[in-house]
Amino acid sequence: MAEARVAIVTGSARGIGAATAIRLAADGFAVAVLDLDEAACAATVDTIVAAGGRAVAVGADVADADAVAAAVDRVVAELGAPTVLVNNAGVTRDNLLFKMSELDWDTVMNVHLRGSFLMARAVQKYMVEAKYGRIVNLSSTSALGNRGQANYSTAKAGLQGFTKTLAIELGKFGVTANCIAPGFIVSDMTKATAERIGEDWDSYVSARAAQIPVARAGQVDDIAHTVSFFVSEGAGFVSGQVVYVAGGPKA
């Protein structure tokens, strides 16, 4: 039996990242569960291992070039050369423009944009050598604009341009790059948003779901399923695309 392909999923201690790591392990990948706090990755790794999969926890700040290089080296040493990368790590520092600090702006840019760039740059050589690779970047419906998220919206829109450029540059090496833009997903991040604006969580979910054509809130597994498609063998002719996984035509 051929050795399992190796996938790195950033920000996979919880939420969408954790669901994605678990799904890719179920699909047969060896998975590097990467997050800022290595200890926080334990639950995701334990879930994968308990189901018979192979995973390692890797702690790294994706915005730190040295940390990224060290993390990728560890993945290569412990699992093998990575040919799948899911750039999911993200943070929010929401505020209206006149209240937004430079730190709020820089923190969001560093994690989403610099982090995705550093991770992609670090793993692309392994993909090029293998003449096979899959990169999936996580954008958001906020890329279309969202009140109180000038930083986050800008970063998520930037990731779409980044994805399309990776697709152009890396396509001839058998590497695809695609982007997923989730709509409203039930997660720690959206719970934090509800708290920030002072809304009861259940009421917030109901109100958001009522505006979605499929009449429900998104779940982390909805995103994991879409990642699973993009990184599959069969998706080799799909590249440079942005898919809004948002429950309807109005992203």
Side-chain angles (χ1 to χ4, degrees):
M1 183 176 153
E3 194 170 340
R5 286 202 167 107
V6 176
I8 299 175
V9 183
T10 71
S12 50
R14 61 187 66 80
I16 289 171
T20 297
I22 291 164
R23 173 60 187 264
L24 295 189
D27 288 346
F29 292 93
V31 183
V33 178
L34 190 151
D35 212 285
L36 187 60
D37 177 7
E38 188 166 320
C41 299
T44 306
V45 170
D46 289 348
T47 299
I48 290 170
V49 172
R54 192 161 161 240
V56 296
V58 180
D61 176 356
V62 295
D64 180 322
D66 291 338
V68 165
V72 172
D73 286 346
R74 258 193 72 193
V75 173
V76 173
E78 296 184 32
L79 292 179
T83 52
V84 169
L85 170 65
V86 181
N87 280 314
N88 168 75
V91 294
T92 53
R93 294 291 184 271
D94 296 351
N95 230 324
L96 293 174
L97 183 63
F98 76 99
K99 294 181 183 176
M100 188 174 287
S101 70
E102 289 93 336
L103 183 60
D104 292 338
W105 179 271
D106 291 343
T107 299
V108 170
M109 293 301 153
N110 284 341
V111 175
H112 294 272
L113 288 177
R114 181 181 166 90
S116 296
F117 156 68
L118 291 173
M119 288 299 305
R121 189 180 66 175
V123 303
Q124 58 83 31
K125 65 179 179 181
Y126 298 103
M127 297 179 178
V128 170
E129 284 170 10
K131 294 184 171 56
Y132 182 92
R134 301 282 188 263
I135 298 171
V136 180
N137 298 316
L138 269 292
S139 179
S140 167
T141 52
S142 292
L144 302 172
N146 197 30
R147 180 179 173 84
Q149 290 195 316
N151 48 6
Y152 188 77
S153 296
T154 301
K156 290 306 196 182
L159 282 170
Q160 297 188 16
F162 180 61
T163 299
K164 290 176 181 292
T165 302
L166 292 182
I168 292 166
E169 291 189 9
L170 299 175
K172 65 183 178 182
F173 302 108
V175 180
T176 67
N178 290 287
C179 196
I180 297 171
F184 180 69
I185 305 293
V186 173
S187 68
D188 289 345
M189 189 175 276
T190 49
K191 284 177 182 173
T193 300
E195 283 181 19
R196 177 178 62 83
I197 62 177
E199 287 198 23
D200 170 72
W201 173 242
D202 291 336
S203 300
Y204 183 66
V205 173
S206 297
R208 293 295 299 268
Q211 299 171 337
I212 299 170
V214 300
R216 69 168 175 87
Q219 302 296 323
V220 291
D221 286 341
D222 291 318
I223 307 305
H225 184 78
T226 310
V227 175
S228 176
F229 164 71
F230 275 139
V231 307
S232 68
E233 287 272 359
F237 202 56
V238 181
S239 195
Q241 301 305 301
V242 180
V243 172
Y244 282 82
V245 183
K250 290 184 178 178

